[in-house]
Amino acid sequence: MPDSAPCRLVVLVSGTGTLLQALIDACADPTYGAEVVAVGADRDSIAGLQRAKNADIATFVHPLQRGADRVQWDRELTALVAAFRPDLVVSAGFMKLLGPHFLSAFSGRVINTHPALLPSFPGMHGPRDALAYGVKISGATVFLVDEGVDSGAILSQAAVPVAEDDTVETLHERIKGVERELLVSTTRQLANCSWHVIDRKVHWE
Ligand code: GAR
């Protein structure tokens, strides 16, 4: 996406937003090539939204109520995000699946980050599942979102050794340290380079 204007990022969050904070901090450097133009969440009163407000970034909240029409929710989320004309949408700890309408509106321009080495341990509990399986190496994955669960083409990965005495919390925290750097470096690359995907492989131009 080489262009003189910074790459417009809309970031979606559901929790503490430390990944978002890493992007906000990176974007403070004008040579980074991207700016966070809005932060969306599926719940109110979360630290991630406060981080956006502290940085004077526009926010919106779009909850998915129990029993709600998921297709309608997806269409509304698409419109909320589209209003900010993103070049890239970053799902950074956003704990909802993005639907077909959303993905076709921002086709090939939605990325996600996951606290495990995909395709192992997809879903909501990557660190817990990796620990329970007994792997010695886990890590973080940044990928292009497709209609599956954590199944899109992989952009970047980084490994994190599992310690003997790790708990889900200590392992996840260590992964998040690496994950923040990976998300920042991958977003920089996406903001400043063109890419295409052939047979799941991402090729940088
Ligand atoms: C991150 O580890 C992210 O990969 C994970 O939630 C954490 C958010 O941290 N997302 C998933 O597990 C999605 N399946 P943060 O709120 O501190 O940025």
Side-chain angles (χ1 to χ4, degrees), residues 15-19 93 95 113-115 123 172 176 179:
T16 55
T18 64
L19 295 165
M95 295 301 189
T113 171
H114 183 71
H172 195 179
K176 279 171 61 167
E179 194 179 5

Side-chain angles (χ1 to χ4, degrees), residues 181-201:
E181 286 178 27
L182 193 69
L183 179 62
V184 165
S185 61
T186 307
T187 303
R188 179 199 287 272
Q189 204 172 4
L190 290 166
N192 294 286
C193 305
S194 298
W195 72 92
H196 62 275
V197 181
I198 302 173
D199 293 337
R200 295 191 52 83
K201 275 83 161 184

Side-chain angles (χ1 to χ4, degrees), residues 145-200:
V145 179
D146 66 9
E147 291 189 14
V149 177
D150 299 332
S151 57
I154 291 172
L155 289 160
S156 57
Q157 290 187 302
V160 173
V162 178
E164 285 272 312
D165 58 351
D166 258 334
T167 62
V168 174
E169 290 71 30
T170 59
L171 177 59
H172 195 179
E173 272 314 306
R174 229 167 42 260
I175 290 172
K176 279 171 61 167
V178 167
E179 194 179 5
R180 288 190 279 270
E181 286 178 27
L182 193 69
L183 179 62
V184 165
S185 61
T186 307
T187 303
R188 179 199 287 272
Q189 204 172 4
L190 290 166
N192 294 286
C193 305
S194 298
W195 72 92
H196 62 275
V197 181
I198 302 173
D199 293 337
R200 295 191 52 83

